[in-house]
Amino acid sequence: MTTVLESSIALEKTPLERYVPPAKPSLVGLSRAALAQALGAIGIAPSQQKMRVQQIWHWLYVRGAKDFDQMSSVSKEVRAILDTHYTLARPEVVAEQVSVDGTRKWLLRLPGEVAGERPHEVECVYIPETDRGTLCLSSQVGCTLTCTFCHTGTQRLVRNLTPGEIVGQIMVARDRLGDFLGAERVTGPGLPTEGDRFISNIVMMGMGEPLYNFEAVRDALLVVADGDGLSISKRRITLSTSGVVPNISRAGEEIGTMLAVSLHAVRDELRNELVPLNRKYPIKVLLDACRNYPGVSNAKRITFEYVMLKGVNDSLEDAKALVRLLKGIPAKINLIPFNPWPGSKYECSDWDQIEKFSEIVFNAGYASPVRTPRGRDILAACGQLKSATEKLSARERMALRAMAMTD
Ligand code: SAH
Ligand code: SF4
């Protein structure tokens, strides 16, 4: 039962700001239809629009063009008109950090509501592995929600990202890695030296709750999945939600990517505390939405994320209850060792306990590799992201770094 105190705590924050486009907007992230419209607005004849869209799409998303002059198949005259009205700008990179394990994190600056004043920052993380390269994207500056184990949850919700800012994170990462056709590939520890693209997978697991920025996330991911452009298939894109139930089926219908659900607890009482949104959409309602996720099947399983919190949700009884709870849902379970941050009131479960928990889950048929946290030395692991709009003090940063080193 919800207590008076609990129900008085706000579940959702409202954005403090809205996005105001610059006088000369970027074409990055526009859908093909919106791009055609943008061309129409500067006098490009309807009969030419489809062809121009195709050309720009190729130069931008396959070759990574940063200015219109590179688009040699587009006439000089059209390039000049485009350049007068638009840019191909991506978010500005403020800092790049490279972890000893090859993980890379970019701090990106985004404009504030008032031009030139109070810009905002989000982070985007690249994780190279032997069989894939995953880019973790942010969807909001801050987060609508308030999960108690998550650093981003302590931050205010400043604003939603635009599709251009979401797609722009991939553009930045591919720019920095040399991951566009014809670009010089970056070399370094952990990076593949030959073969496929560096970025093969996308996860919406950075800052923010993607299903509270539904339209922008949808539009961005449809651009990302376009086979003539960035071309990352929907099977390789995973959208993670803390459980915004009404938008789960919408995501299946309108986006169609893989789904991950941040479950973290098997009882409502505990989940109410860890993921306060559970008070609005409790476990049963959430799991029903998962059962009905459009396209769900054994070949397209839902990933359930479960953060391992010492003495909170990590008992072997919890593991057994988790297996029972997910019965009948085509599922994978992803156990995430808790990543601490300054002021966090939880500790990561002991490794021994994580292994025992994982064994129960594994024996029940849920392949559950516990991935070693990546990029902890650069604060790039799950839940450690927090934008500099609420900067950590130097002391907090040092404490956090020390924690990352000793874990
Ligand atoms: N808002 C979405 C996606 C971003 S969070 C969501 O909540 O699903 C990505 C994953 O990191 C989620 O499963 C989240 O619960 C988990 N996470 C958040 N803080 C964490 C922390 N400190 N340690 C480990 N995982 C954390
Ligand atoms: Fe937001 Fe996800 Fe963090 Fe919860 S876990 S506060 S939904 S980013």
Side-chain angles (χ1 to χ4, degrees):
M1 214 173 76
T2 311
T3 64
V4 176
L5 179 69
E6 271 176 350
S7 60
S8 66
I9 301 169
L11 289 182
E12 294 149 10
K13 304 165 208 157
T14 41
L16 297 170
E17 287 194 8
R18 65 198 173 96
Y19 172 74
V20 179
K24 206 172 158 182
S26 171
L27 297 181
V28 170
L30 295 188
S31 65
R32 284 171 184 269
L35 190 50
Q37 220 173 23
L39 299 183
I42 58 169
I44 297 193
S47 59
Q48 277 203 15
Q49 284 169 13
K50 202 170 169 201
M51 182 253 299
R52 295 295 180 210
V53 165
Q54 192 57 27
Q55 287 174 324
I56 295 171
W57 202 265
H58 176 82
W59 281 104
L60 187 54
Y61 295 124
V62 178
R63 297 191 172 258
K66 286 186 176 154
D67 58 63
F68 295 105
D69 252 358
Q70 287 171 262
M71 302 186 172
S72 53
S73 57
V74 178
S75 73
K76 269 199 170 155
E77 192 196 353
V78 172
R79 279 189 259 160
I81 302 172
L82 285 167
D83 192 49
T84 311
H85 298 277
Y86 300 118
T87 72
L88 301 172
R90 312 42 164 137
E92 180 193 347
V93 181
V94 187
E96 174 177 78
Q97 283 175 284
V98 182
S99 157
V100 287
D101 66 22
T103 298
R104 278 155 203 255
K105 183 171 85 168
W106 296 281
L107 179 65
L108 307 175
R109 181 168 294 153
L110 307 176
E113 190 172 284
V114 182
E117 277 179 35
R118 286 177 50 83
H120 306 304
E121 284 166 0
V122 290
E123 291 175 323
C124 163
V125 178
Y126 173 65
I127 307 146
E129 290 173 277
T130 44
D131 60 338
R132 70 184 72 184
T134 305
L135 190 69
C136 176
L137 305 183
S138 294
S139 56
Q140 299 183 307
V141 182
C143 184
T144 309
L145 299 171
T146 52
C147 305
T148 47
F149 54 88
C150 173
H151 207 189
T152 314
T154 63
Q155 198 179 323
R156 300 168 311 163
L157 170 62
V158 179
R159 73 166 167 82
N160 285 326
L161 300 197
T162 64
E165 291 168 336
I166 297 168
V167 175
Q169 294 171 61
I170 306 182
M171 301 300 283
V172 162
R174 281 207 166 150
D175 288 340
R176 305 296 289 203
L177 292 166
D179 199 26
F180 281 113
L181 186 66
E184 198 176 323
R185 288 161 69 100
V186 161
T187 53
L191 294 180
T193 47
E194 53 186 49
D196 292 339
R197 285 281 164 83
F198 283 143
I199 299 169
S200 60
N201 292 56
I202 298 290
V203 293
M204 296 300 303
M205 294 188 187
M207 294 165 60
E209 168 49 60
L211 293 189
Y212 273 127
N213 184 14
F214 187 88
E215 282 82 6
V217 167
R218 174 196 59 203
D219 294 354
L221 293 182
L222 294 181
V223 170
V224 175
D226 185 295
D228 290 330
L230 291 169
S231 198
I232 297 174
S233 95
K234 289 182 185 179
R235 302 299 290 262
R236 289 175 171 269
I237 303 176
T238 303
L239 185 153
S240 174
T241 179
S242 56
V244 185
V245 166
N247 283 347
I248 288 182
S249 60
R250 254 191 103 189
E253 278 151 20
E254 297 178 36
I255 313 178
T257 59
M258 306 299 282
L259 181 72
V261 171
S262 298
L263 190 61
H264 306 318
V266 290
R267 288 172 288 113
D268 279 324
E269 196 194 0
L270 178 60
R271 195 164 188 273
N272 284 348
E273 185 190 317
L274 300 177
V275 184
L277 185 69
N278 193 69
R279 303 207 294 267
K280 196 165 175 182
Y281 307 116
I283 293 175
K284 184 178 175 319
V285 176
L286 174 59
L287 294 184
D288 281 346
C290 293
R291 256 180 219 103
N292 298 322
Y293 183 64
V296 71
S297 68
N298 281 341
K300 194 176 173 191
R301 291 166 189 263
I302 296 176
T303 300
F304 288 89
E305 294 156 287
Y306 196 95
V307 64
M308 298 299 297
L309 304 170
K310 187 175 184 166
V312 176
N313 65 354
D314 65 348
S315 75
L316 303 188
E317 278 316 306
D318 285 323
K320 288 177 199 155
L322 177 60
V323 166
R324 281 198 301 273
L325 199 60
L326 298 185
K327 208 163 173 231
I329 304 177
K332 283 188 277 192
I333 296 173
N334 183 12
L335 302 179
I336 316 174
F338 171 65
N339 291 307
W341 38 273
S344 59
K345 57 181 181 179
Y346 303 103
E347 279 178 71
C348 183
S349 307
D350 295 332
W351 201 250
D352 191 41
Q353 188 67 11
I354 297 182
E355 278 187 348
K356 284 187 194 141
F357 195 106
S358 153
E359 209 175 290
I360 293 177
V361 165
F362 183 80
N363 287 341
Y366 298 102
S368 171
V370 186
R371 288 177 189 259
T372 348
R374 301 289 305 267
R376 271 192 176 180
D377 56 335
I378 57 165
L379 311 182
C382 284
Q384 288 185 319
L385 307 184
K386 188 178 180 192
S387 70
T389 40
E390 276 200 324
K391 259 204 161 96
L392 299 180
S393 68
R395 242 180 78 205
E396 277 183 316
R397 276 192 183 275
M398 273 169 59
L400 194 48
R401 219 155 261 144
M403 276 192 257
M405 298 302 184
T406 52
D407 271 322

Short mmCIF file of all heavy atoms in Angstrom, two decimals, residues 13 140 142-154 206-209 241-242 262 264 274-275 383, ligand 2:
data_model
loop_
_atom_site.label_atom_id
_atom_site.label_comp_id
_atom_site.label_asym_id
_atom_site.label_seq_id
_atom_site.Cartn_x
_atom_site.Cartn_y
_atom_site.Cartn_z
N LYS A 13 9.41 14.64 -13.21
CA LYS A 13 9.78 16.06 -13.22
C LYS A 13 9.33 16.66 -14.55
O LYS A 13 9.27 15.96 -15.56
CB LYS A 13 11.29 16.21 -13.10
CG LYS A 13 11.90 15.53 -11.89
CD LYS A 13 13.42 15.41 -12.07
CE LYS A 13 13.98 14.23 -11.33
NZ LYS A 13 15.24 13.76 -11.87
N GLN A 140 17.83 12.60 -22.84
CA GLN A 140 17.39 13.82 -22.15
C GLN A 140 18.60 14.46 -21.45
O GLN A 140 19.56 13.76 -21.12
CB GLN A 140 16.36 13.48 -21.05
CG GLN A 140 15.08 12.81 -21.56
CD GLN A 140 14.07 12.57 -20.43
OE1 GLN A 140 14.41 11.97 -19.42
NE2 GLN A 140 12.85 13.04 -20.62
N GLY A 142 19.46 15.34 -18.11
CA GLY A 142 18.83 14.96 -16.84
C GLY A 142 17.86 13.83 -17.12
O GLY A 142 17.97 13.13 -18.12
N CYS A 143 16.89 13.65 -16.23
CA CYS A 143 15.90 12.59 -16.45
C CYS A 143 14.58 12.98 -15.81
O CYS A 143 14.55 13.65 -14.78
CB CYS A 143 16.38 11.27 -15.84
SG CYS A 143 15.25 9.90 -16.20
N THR A 144 13.49 12.55 -16.44
CA THR A 144 12.16 12.81 -15.89
C THR A 144 12.00 12.10 -14.53
O THR A 144 11.28 12.57 -13.67
CB THR A 144 11.08 12.25 -16.85
OG1 THR A 144 11.33 12.73 -18.16
CG2 THR A 144 9.68 12.65 -16.42
N LEU A 145 12.71 10.97 -14.38
CA LEU A 145 12.44 10.10 -13.23
C LEU A 145 13.49 10.20 -12.14
O LEU A 145 14.47 10.94 -12.26
CB LEU A 145 12.25 8.67 -13.74
CG LEU A 145 11.06 8.57 -14.70
CD1 LEU A 145 11.00 7.21 -15.36
CD2 LEU A 145 9.76 8.88 -13.99
N THR A 146 13.27 9.41 -11.09
CA THR A 146 14.05 9.62 -9.86
C THR A 146 14.55 8.31 -9.24
O THR A 146 14.52 8.16 -8.03
CB THR A 146 13.16 10.32 -8.81
OG1 THR A 146 11.94 9.55 -8.72
CG2 THR A 146 12.81 11.74 -9.17
N CYS A 147 14.97 7.37 -10.07
CA CYS A 147 15.41 6.07 -9.50
C CYS A 147 16.53 6.34 -8.48
O CYS A 147 17.45 7.11 -8.75
CB CYS A 147 15.90 5.16 -10.62
SG CYS A 147 14.65 4.94 -11.89
N THR A 148 16.41 5.67 -7.33
CA THR A 148 17.25 6.07 -6.21
C THR A 148 18.71 5.60 -6.33
O THR A 148 19.57 6.09 -5.62
CB THR A 148 16.67 5.52 -4.89
OG1 THR A 148 16.34 4.14 -5.08
CG2 THR A 148 15.44 6.29 -4.47
N PHE A 149 18.98 4.63 -7.22
CA PHE A 149 20.34 4.12 -7.36
C PHE A 149 21.06 4.77 -8.54
O PHE A 149 22.19 4.42 -8.86
CB PHE A 149 20.29 2.59 -7.60
CG PHE A 149 19.40 2.24 -8.75
CD1 PHE A 149 19.91 2.22 -10.03
CD2 PHE A 149 18.04 2.03 -8.55
CE1 PHE A 149 19.08 1.97 -11.10
CE2 PHE A 149 17.21 1.78 -9.64
CZ PHE A 149 17.74 1.76 -10.91
N CYS A 150 20.40 5.71 -9.21
CA CYS A 150 20.93 6.25 -10.46
C CYS A 150 21.36 7.71 -10.30
O CYS A 150 20.58 8.54 -9.81
CB CYS A 150 19.86 6.15 -11.56
SG CYS A 150 20.35 6.97 -13.09
N HIS A 151 22.57 7.98 -10.74
CA HIS A 151 23.11 9.34 -10.59
C HIS A 151 22.30 10.36 -11.39
O HIS A 151 22.02 11.46 -10.93
CB HIS A 151 24.57 9.33 -11.05
CG HIS A 151 25.40 10.37 -10.41
ND1 HIS A 151 26.67 10.66 -10.80
CD2 HIS A 151 25.13 11.22 -9.39
CE1 HIS A 151 27.15 11.63 -10.06
NE2 HIS A 151 26.23 11.98 -9.20
N THR A 152 21.91 9.95 -12.61
CA THR A 152 21.14 10.88 -13.46
C THR A 152 19.81 11.23 -12.79
O THR A 152 19.29 12.34 -12.96
CB THR A 152 20.89 10.25 -14.85
OG1 THR A 152 22.09 9.67 -15.33
CG2 THR A 152 20.41 11.28 -15.84
N GLY A 153 19.26 10.26 -12.04
CA GLY A 153 17.97 10.48 -11.40
C GLY A 153 17.98 11.61 -10.36
O GLY A 153 16.94 12.20 -10.05
N THR A 154 19.19 11.92 -9.85
CA THR A 154 19.28 12.99 -8.83
C THR A 154 19.28 14.37 -9.48
O THR A 154 19.20 15.38 -8.82
CB THR A 154 20.59 12.86 -8.02
OG1 THR A 154 21.70 13.06 -8.90
CG2 THR A 154 20.71 11.51 -7.34
N GLY A 206 21.89 5.87 -22.00
CA GLY A 206 22.66 6.95 -21.37
C GLY A 206 21.75 7.73 -20.44
O GLY A 206 20.93 7.16 -19.72
N MET A 207 21.89 9.05 -20.48
CA MET A 207 21.06 9.86 -19.59
C MET A 207 19.64 9.96 -20.13
O MET A 207 19.43 10.15 -21.32
CB MET A 207 21.65 11.27 -19.50
CG MET A 207 23.00 11.29 -18.82
SD MET A 207 23.86 12.83 -19.09
CE MET A 207 22.71 13.96 -18.37
N GLY A 208 18.68 9.85 -19.23
CA GLY A 208 17.29 10.12 -19.60
C GLY A 208 16.45 8.88 -19.81
O GLY A 208 16.95 7.77 -19.95
N GLU A 209 15.14 9.10 -19.80
CA GLU A 209 14.17 8.03 -20.03
C GLU A 209 13.62 8.20 -21.45
O GLU A 209 12.83 9.10 -21.72
CB GLU A 209 13.05 8.14 -18.97
CG GLU A 209 11.84 7.28 -19.24
CD GLU A 209 12.15 5.81 -19.58
OE1 GLU A 209 12.75 5.11 -18.76
OE2 GLU A 209 11.77 5.39 -20.68
N THR A 241 13.94 1.09 -21.02
CA THR A 241 12.98 1.92 -20.29
C THR A 241 12.85 1.44 -18.85
O THR A 241 12.98 0.25 -18.57
CB THR A 241 11.59 1.91 -20.95
OG1 THR A 241 10.71 2.73 -20.16
CG2 THR A 241 10.99 0.51 -21.05
N SER A 242 12.56 2.40 -17.99
CA SER A 242 12.33 2.04 -16.58
C SER A 242 10.89 1.56 -16.40
O SER A 242 10.51 1.19 -15.30
CB SER A 242 12.60 3.26 -15.72
OG SER A 242 11.78 4.30 -16.18
N SER A 262 14.16 -2.00 -17.23
CA SER A 262 14.92 -1.92 -15.97
C SER A 262 14.02 -2.41 -14.85
O SER A 262 13.24 -1.65 -14.27
CB SER A 262 15.32 -0.47 -15.72
OG SER A 262 16.16 -0.04 -16.75
N HIS A 264 14.92 -4.60 -11.84
CA HIS A 264 15.67 -4.35 -10.60
C HIS A 264 15.07 -4.88 -9.30
O HIS A 264 15.73 -4.86 -8.26
CB HIS A 264 15.98 -2.86 -10.42
CG HIS A 264 16.67 -2.23 -11.57
ND1 HIS A 264 17.69 -2.85 -12.26
CD2 HIS A 264 16.49 -1.03 -12.20
CE1 HIS A 264 18.10 -2.05 -13.24
NE2 HIS A 264 17.39 -0.95 -13.23
N LEU A 274 13.06 1.67 -5.41
CA LEU A 274 14.20 1.78 -6.33
C LEU A 274 13.82 2.55 -7.60
O LEU A 274 14.59 3.37 -8.10
CB LEU A 274 14.71 0.40 -6.72
CG LEU A 274 15.21 -0.51 -5.60
CD1 LEU A 274 15.62 -1.87 -6.15
CD2 LEU A 274 16.39 0.14 -4.87
N VAL A 275 12.65 2.22 -8.13
CA VAL A 275 12.17 2.85 -9.38
C VAL A 275 10.80 3.43 -9.04
O VAL A 275 9.78 2.78 -9.24
CB VAL A 275 12.04 1.79 -10.51
CG1 VAL A 275 11.64 2.42 -11.83
CG2 VAL A 275 13.32 0.98 -10.68
N GLY A 383 24.68 4.43 -15.26
CA GLY A 383 24.22 5.16 -14.09
C GLY A 383 25.23 6.14 -13.52
O GLY A 383 24.96 6.84 -12.56
FE1 SF4 B 2 16.17 7.98 -15.34
FE2 SF4 B 2 16.85 5.49 -16.11
FE3 SF4 B 2 18.24 6.80 -14.20
FE4 SF4 B 2 15.78 5.92 -13.68
S1 SF4 B 2 17.59 4.66 -14.17
S2 SF4 B 2 16.60 7.95 -13.14
S3 SF4 B 2 14.78 6.26 -15.63
S4 SF4 B 2 18.09 7.37 -16.35
#
